[in-house]
Amino acid sequence: MDPLFSGGSSSSWTAPPVAAYSFLASNPNYIVLLLVATLIPLVLFIENIGKDPSSSMNDMAVAPIIPDFKTDIKVDNEPPSKQDLEKIAELPVLDKGKNSRTFKSLYADNENGSRRVLVIFVRHFFCGMCQEFIKTLSSSITPSSLSDLASPTEIVVIGCGEADMISHYTKETSCPFPVYTDPTRKLYHILGMTSTLGMGGKAPEYMQKSLISVIVGSFFQELRAGRSMLRGGDFSQVGGEFMFEEGKVTWCHRMKNTRDHAEIPVLRTQLRLDGSNVIEAETPRARKRNSIAGLGADLGRRMSNRRQSWGGSRSRSRNNETTSSGMEGLKEEGGEEKKTNGEKGVASGTDVGAYGAVTATAPKGTANGQAAA
């Protein structure tokens, strides 16, 4: 009889004997093997479900109870309101030494002038996908490259685990930027970041490893952490990126799934590391300002075209005058017209104005002439 069952009935189940717990406790490698044997098929199932319409996996009776890991949650990328910024200004964040400071102190202007700070919110500190993002970010953007910008810029990373897990995170990611944490997740909630376990349908470019290797690596990190594995933060919380300039959010991106951080080229553009201007969020004020700027540019082009038209008219008038005087000078005593530059006596005149060159061809029977505006 199976030692896990007793009582003569295959349907009556009792807890495993104490010896089984003792065996597993003294041989943790077996626990790892059991968990990995369960984890890998689950990941493969998630990755392949829906790829083959004829697969029996899509018709399994358990499919309705399995969450759809391919979907994205609905979020918007509108900057937070003034009221929301006031709510989060005094909320505390913790550093690796459990020292508390206000969130506003991370981005507010100081005695050195205005500040540009990109605040990156990550998931739990064991999330392998966020760790891949931070690793790729750190290899592409360095603190020295940010300090060399015309407007010196900073990057700050915020997680949602316990403060004593920050050291583990910086070691795993080699993150050169300051890392803080908000265990209460109030910042996440007020700034519009939500919770999901969905992974989306497409792997991001910043992930350099396969999904299986990332998940397995994250799993082993948790095992090595022992009792601290549950101190990394909420597993379903997702984050995002917020650009603060002069105390306001000028651009933001909220994650739609667990691997939806903004791609590195997008962040480089927002940071002006590629010599490009930051694209401001399309707020009503920004739309109004852009429309006024567009109207001014259009008016400027019209004025420039009109000046060129006036210059061309003056040029043609002066060329005609030059042609007339040339015609009179070509008359000889016998009334015969002298021909110059060929049988037909055609000459050209050119007028160069302040806004461009206008070339006119003189009528037949003229001499070479040039008028300067």
Side-chain angles (χ1 to χ4, degrees):
M1 180 184 297
D2 193 323
L4 297 181
F5 294 91
S6 61
S9 173
S10 61
S11 60
S12 59
W13 179 83
T14 60
V18 176
Y21 288 118
S22 301
F23 175 79
L24 292 176
S26 59
N27 297 274
N29 290 336
Y30 284 95
I31 300 178
V32 174
L33 291 175
L34 287 172
L35 291 174
V36 170
T38 305
L39 179 66
I40 291 180
L42 176 61
V43 174
L44 291 174
F45 178 82
I46 294 171
E47 277 291 282
N48 290 285
I49 191 169
K51 288 185 178 179
D52 183 5
S54 62
S55 174
S56 60
M57 295 173 71
N58 296 317
D59 300 325
M60 293 175 64
V62 296
I65 64 174
I66 297 177
D68 186 357
F69 288 97
K70 297 288 186 179
T71 59
D72 294 333
I73 56 174
K74 292 183 179 180
V75 294
D76 64 67
N77 291 325
E78 287 292 321
S81 65
K82 181 179 179 180
Q83 292 76 15
D84 288 338
L85 291 179
E86 291 175 352
K87 291 179 182 178
I88 63 176
E90 301 300 324
L91 290 178
V93 292
L94 304 175
D95 62 18
K96 62 181 181 180
K98 299 183 180 181
N99 300 307
S100 177
R101 60 189 297 175
T102 63
F103 176 62
K104 185 178 181 180
S105 67
L106 300 180
Y107 62 84
D109 298 344
N110 53 30
E111 64 276 4
N112 296 324
S114 60
R115 299 170 65 191
R116 296 179 70 241
V117 181
L118 176 65
V119 181
I120 298 175
F121 290 88
V122 297
R123 300 179 65 234
H124 61 90
F125 285 135
F126 292 109
C127 175
M129 292 173 285
C130 285
Q131 290 180 7
E132 281 290 293
F133 167 73
I134 294 296
K135 290 177 183 177
T136 306
L137 174 75
S138 302
S139 65
S140 175
I141 303 172
T142 62
S144 60
S145 65
L146 295 175
S147 62
D148 291 339
L149 291 171
S151 299
T153 306
E154 307 164 58
I155 290 180
V156 171
V157 179
I158 296 181
C160 59
E162 298 298 328
D164 54 8
M165 299 305 300
I166 293 178
S167 296
H168 157 81
Y169 195 74
T170 54
K171 180 180 179 181
E172 290 290 337
T173 60
S174 300
C175 180
F177 309 111
V179 180
Y180 299 90
T181 187
D182 169 30
T184 66
R185 296 188 293 147
K186 290 183 179 179
L187 289 173
Y188 289 79
H189 297 158
I190 297 176
L191 290 174
M193 292 168 279
T194 59
S195 299
T196 180
L197 291 175
M199 292 185 292
K202 180 182 178 182
E205 294 180 3
Y206 58 76
M207 284 187 61
Q208 304 299 314
K209 299 179 181 178
S210 67
L211 179 62
I212 292 179
S213 62
V214 168
I215 293 179
V216 171
S218 177
F219 171 72
F220 277 105
Q221 284 185 37
E222 294 172 359
L223 286 180
R224 290 196 301 268
R227 295 181 179 180
S228 297
M229 68 170 57
L230 299 178
R231 298 172 62 82
D234 190 289
F235 279 60
S236 64
Q237 180 68 60
V238 292
E241 298 79 34
F242 294 77
M243 175 66 77
F244 285 84
E245 296 188 65
E246 299 181 354
K248 301 177 183 178
V249 177
T250 57
W251 172 87
C252 69
H253 167 264
R254 298 178 179 89
M255 295 174 66
K256 300 186 295 293
N257 56 64
T258 57
R259 50 179 181 173
D260 185 43
H261 279 290
E263 293 287 3
I264 306 303
V266 175
L267 295 181
R268 290 186 62 89
T269 298
Q270 293 299 325
L271 292 168
R272 302 175 188 170
L273 284 170
D274 295 326
S276 56
N277 292 326
V278 172
I279 303 173
E280 294 187 2
E282 278 296 309
T283 59
R285 180 178 296 179
R287 284 194 293 269
K288 182 178 180 181
R289 181 170 62 253
N290 292 337
S291 64
I292 294 174
L295 180 61
D298 182 63
L299 181 60
R301 285 193 297 270
R302 291 184 181 182
M303 291 296 291
S304 177
N305 292 338
R306 181 168 295 181
R307 285 194 296 268
Q308 292 184 23
S309 177
W310 290 343
S313 298
R314 290 197 301 271
S315 171
R316 287 191 293 271
S317 176
R318 293 183 181 183
N319 282 334
N320 290 337
E321 292 176 1
T322 303
T323 301
S324 298
S325 60
M327 290 285 288
E328 293 176 0
L330 288 172
K331 296 290 184 177
E332 295 185 352
E333 291 183 359
E336 189 177 5
E337 192 173 281
K338 183 184 291 184
K339 298 180 181 179
T340 310
N341 288 341
E343 282 187 59
K344 295 183 179 180
V346 178
S348 62
T350 305
D351 176 68
V352 181
Y355 295 93
V358 180
T359 303
T361 302
K364 296 179 182 179
T366 65
N368 289 340
Q370 189 173 43

PDB file of all heavy atoms in Angstrom, residues 188-204:
ATOM      1  N   TYR A 188       3.084  53.326  -5.968  1.00  0.00           N
ATOM      2  CA  TYR A 188       2.627  52.573  -7.143  1.00  0.00           C
ATOM      3  C   TYR A 188       1.142  52.836  -7.403  1.00  0.00           C
ATOM      4  O   TYR A 188       0.729  53.080  -8.550  1.00  0.00           O
ATOM      5  CB  TYR A 188       2.851  51.072  -6.930  1.00  0.00           C
ATOM      6  CG  TYR A 188       4.285  50.624  -6.970  1.00  0.00           C
ATOM      7  CD1 TYR A 188       5.130  50.796  -5.872  1.00  0.00           C
ATOM      8  CD2 TYR A 188       4.813  49.997  -8.099  1.00  0.00           C
ATOM      9  CE1 TYR A 188       6.449  50.359  -5.899  1.00  0.00           C
ATOM     10  CE2 TYR A 188       6.139  49.562  -8.133  1.00  0.00           C
ATOM     11  CZ  TYR A 188       6.947  49.750  -7.028  1.00  0.00           C
ATOM     12  OH  TYR A 188       8.254  49.321  -7.064  1.00  0.00           O
ATOM     13  N   HIS A 189       0.353  52.762  -6.353  1.00  0.00           N
ATOM     14  CA  HIS A 189      -1.090  52.884  -6.511  1.00  0.00           C
ATOM     15  C   HIS A 189      -1.500  54.291  -6.933  1.00  0.00           C
ATOM     16  O   HIS A 189      -2.299  54.456  -7.872  1.00  0.00           O
ATOM     17  CB  HIS A 189      -1.795  52.508  -5.201  1.00  0.00           C
ATOM     18  CG  HIS A 189      -1.573  51.082  -4.799  1.00  0.00           C
ATOM     19  ND1 HIS A 189      -1.708  50.622  -3.503  1.00  0.00           N
ATOM     20  CD2 HIS A 189      -1.195  50.004  -5.531  1.00  0.00           C
ATOM     21  CE1 HIS A 189      -1.449  49.333  -3.464  1.00  0.00           C
ATOM     22  NE2 HIS A 189      -1.126  48.933  -4.672  1.00  0.00           N
ATOM     23  N   ILE A 190      -0.949  55.312  -6.286  1.00  0.00           N
ATOM     24  CA  ILE A 190      -1.359  56.687  -6.592  1.00  0.00           C
ATOM     25  C   ILE A 190      -0.886  57.089  -7.989  1.00  0.00           C
ATOM     26  O   ILE A 190      -1.579  57.831  -8.701  1.00  0.00           O
ATOM     27  CB  ILE A 190      -0.814  57.659  -5.521  1.00  0.00           C
ATOM     28  CG1 ILE A 190      -1.421  57.324  -4.151  1.00  0.00           C
ATOM     29  CG2 ILE A 190      -1.136  59.107  -5.890  1.00  0.00           C
ATOM     30  CD1 ILE A 190      -0.881  58.163  -3.008  1.00  0.00           C
ATOM     31  N   LEU A 191       0.267  56.581  -8.403  1.00  0.00           N
ATOM     32  CA  LEU A 191       0.794  56.922  -9.729  1.00  0.00           C
ATOM     33  C   LEU A 191       0.188  56.078 -10.845  1.00  0.00           C
ATOM     34  O   LEU A 191       0.598  56.189 -12.004  1.00  0.00           O
ATOM     35  CB  LEU A 191       2.315  56.790  -9.733  1.00  0.00           C
ATOM     36  CG  LEU A 191       3.064  57.858  -8.921  1.00  0.00           C
ATOM     37  CD1 LEU A 191       4.559  57.543  -8.886  1.00  0.00           C
ATOM     38  CD2 LEU A 191       2.825  59.248  -9.487  1.00  0.00           C
ATOM     39  N   GLY A 192      -0.768  55.239 -10.517  1.00  0.00           N
ATOM     40  CA  GLY A 192      -1.518  54.521 -11.548  1.00  0.00           C
ATOM     41  C   GLY A 192      -0.933  53.209 -12.003  1.00  0.00           C
ATOM     42  O   GLY A 192      -1.359  52.657 -13.028  1.00  0.00           O
ATOM     43  N   MET A 193       0.031  52.652 -11.266  1.00  0.00           N
ATOM     44  CA  MET A 193       0.588  51.341 -11.618  1.00  0.00           C
ATOM     45  C   MET A 193      -0.228  50.255 -10.940  1.00  0.00           C
ATOM     46  O   MET A 193      -0.594  50.391  -9.775  1.00  0.00           O
ATOM     47  CB  MET A 193       2.059  51.268 -11.204  1.00  0.00           C
ATOM     48  CG  MET A 193       2.955  52.185 -12.015  1.00  0.00           C
ATOM     49  SD  MET A 193       4.626  52.383 -11.336  1.00  0.00           S
ATOM     50  CE  MET A 193       4.310  53.618 -10.055  1.00  0.00           C
ATOM     51  N   THR A 194      -0.549  49.214 -11.663  1.00  0.00           N
ATOM     52  CA  THR A 194      -1.478  48.199 -11.185  1.00  0.00           C
ATOM     53  C   THR A 194      -0.777  46.859 -10.960  1.00  0.00           C
ATOM     54  O   THR A 194       0.452  46.786 -10.899  1.00  0.00           O
ATOM     55  CB  THR A 194      -2.630  48.031 -12.185  1.00  0.00           C
ATOM     56  OG1 THR A 194      -2.097  47.648 -13.461  1.00  0.00           O
ATOM     57  CG2 THR A 194      -3.392  49.338 -12.353  1.00  0.00           C
ATOM     58  N   SER A 195      -1.571  45.789 -10.859  1.00  0.00           N
ATOM     59  CA  SER A 195      -1.048  44.446 -10.584  1.00  0.00           C
ATOM     60  C   SER A 195      -1.505  43.476 -11.660  1.00  0.00           C
ATOM     61  O   SER A 195      -2.640  43.534 -12.133  1.00  0.00           O
ATOM     62  CB  SER A 195      -1.525  43.965  -9.207  1.00  0.00           C
ATOM     63  OG  SER A 195      -1.055  44.815  -8.187  1.00  0.00           O
ATOM     64  N   THR A 196      -0.614  42.597 -12.059  1.00  0.00           N
ATOM     65  CA  THR A 196      -0.931  41.565 -13.031  1.00  0.00           C
ATOM     66  C   THR A 196       0.176  40.517 -13.014  1.00  0.00           C
ATOM     67  O   THR A 196       1.301  40.789 -12.599  1.00  0.00           O
ATOM     68  CB  THR A 196      -1.067  42.142 -14.452  1.00  0.00           C
ATOM     69  OG1 THR A 196      -1.385  41.093 -15.369  1.00  0.00           O
ATOM     70  CG2 THR A 196       0.229  42.794 -14.907  1.00  0.00           C
ATOM     71  N   LEU A 197      -0.153  39.310 -13.459  1.00  0.00           N
ATOM     72  CA  LEU A 197       0.836  38.254 -13.647  1.00  0.00           C
ATOM     73  C   LEU A 197       1.037  37.957 -15.129  1.00  0.00           C
ATOM     74  O   LEU A 197       1.816  37.072 -15.494  1.00  0.00           O
ATOM     75  CB  LEU A 197       0.418  36.981 -12.906  1.00  0.00           C
ATOM     76  CG  LEU A 197       0.449  37.053 -11.382  1.00  0.00           C
ATOM     77  CD1 LEU A 197      -0.108  35.773 -10.771  1.00  0.00           C
ATOM     78  CD2 LEU A 197       1.868  37.308 -10.869  1.00  0.00           C
ATOM     79  N   GLY A 198       0.313  38.692 -15.986  1.00  0.00           N
ATOM     80  CA  GLY A 198       0.445  38.497 -17.424  1.00  0.00           C
ATOM     81  C   GLY A 198       1.830  38.893 -17.918  1.00  0.00           C
ATOM     82  O   GLY A 198       2.435  39.835 -17.421  1.00  0.00           O
ATOM     83  N   MET A 199       2.322  38.146 -18.919  1.00  0.00           N
ATOM     84  CA  MET A 199       3.651  38.422 -19.463  1.00  0.00           C
ATOM     85  C   MET A 199       3.605  39.005 -20.863  1.00  0.00           C
ATOM     86  O   MET A 199       4.646  39.213 -21.489  1.00  0.00           O
ATOM     87  CB  MET A 199       4.483  37.141 -19.465  1.00  0.00           C
ATOM     88  CG  MET A 199       4.842  36.655 -18.072  1.00  0.00           C
ATOM     89  SD  MET A 199       5.949  35.226 -18.100  1.00  0.00           S
ATOM     90  CE  MET A 199       4.847  33.985 -18.770  1.00  0.00           C
ATOM     91  N   GLY A 200       2.417  39.274 -21.389  1.00  0.00           N
ATOM     92  CA  GLY A 200       2.331  39.830 -22.730  1.00  0.00           C
ATOM     93  C   GLY A 200       2.659  38.804 -23.794  1.00  0.00           C
ATOM     94  O   GLY A 200       3.101  37.686 -23.506  1.00  0.00           O
ATOM     95  N   GLY A 201       2.473  39.172 -25.035  1.00  0.00           N
ATOM     96  CA  GLY A 201       2.691  38.229 -26.125  1.00  0.00           C
ATOM     97  C   GLY A 201       4.036  38.334 -26.795  1.00  0.00           C
ATOM     98  O   GLY A 201       4.350  37.554 -27.691  1.00  0.00           O
ATOM     99  N   LYS A 202       4.868  39.309 -26.400  1.00  0.00           N
ATOM    100  CA  LYS A 202       6.135  39.527 -27.078  1.00  0.00           C
ATOM    101  C   LYS A 202       7.241  39.804 -26.066  1.00  0.00           C
ATOM    102  O   LYS A 202       7.060  40.603 -25.151  1.00  0.00           O
ATOM    103  CB  LYS A 202       6.020  40.692 -28.058  1.00  0.00           C
ATOM    104  CG  LYS A 202       7.288  40.999 -28.829  1.00  0.00           C
ATOM    105  CD  LYS A 202       7.086  42.191 -29.744  1.00  0.00           C
ATOM    106  CE  LYS A 202       8.381  42.531 -30.495  1.00  0.00           C
ATOM    107  NZ  LYS A 202       8.198  43.721 -31.360  1.00  0.00           N
ATOM    108  N   ALA A 203       8.372  39.146 -26.264  1.00  0.00           N
ATOM    109  CA  ALA A 203       9.516  39.375 -25.374  1.00  0.00           C
ATOM    110  C   ALA A 203      10.155  40.717 -25.707  1.00  0.00           C
ATOM    111  O   ALA A 203      10.339  41.047 -26.877  1.00  0.00           O
ATOM    112  CB  ALA A 203      10.535  38.260 -25.530  1.00  0.00           C
ATOM    113  N   PRO A 204      10.493  41.517 -24.705  1.00  0.00           N
ATOM    114  CA  PRO A 204      11.111  42.819 -24.963  1.00  0.00           C
ATOM    115  C   PRO A 204      12.549  42.682 -25.437  1.00  0.00           C
ATOM    116  O   PRO A 204      13.197  41.651 -25.204  1.00  0.00           O
ATOM    117  CB  PRO A 204      11.033  43.514 -23.593  1.00  0.00           C
ATOM    118  CG  PRO A 204      11.041  42.391 -22.613  1.00  0.00           C
ATOM    119  CD  PRO A 204      10.283  41.271 -23.267  1.00  0.00           C
TER     120      PRO A 204
END
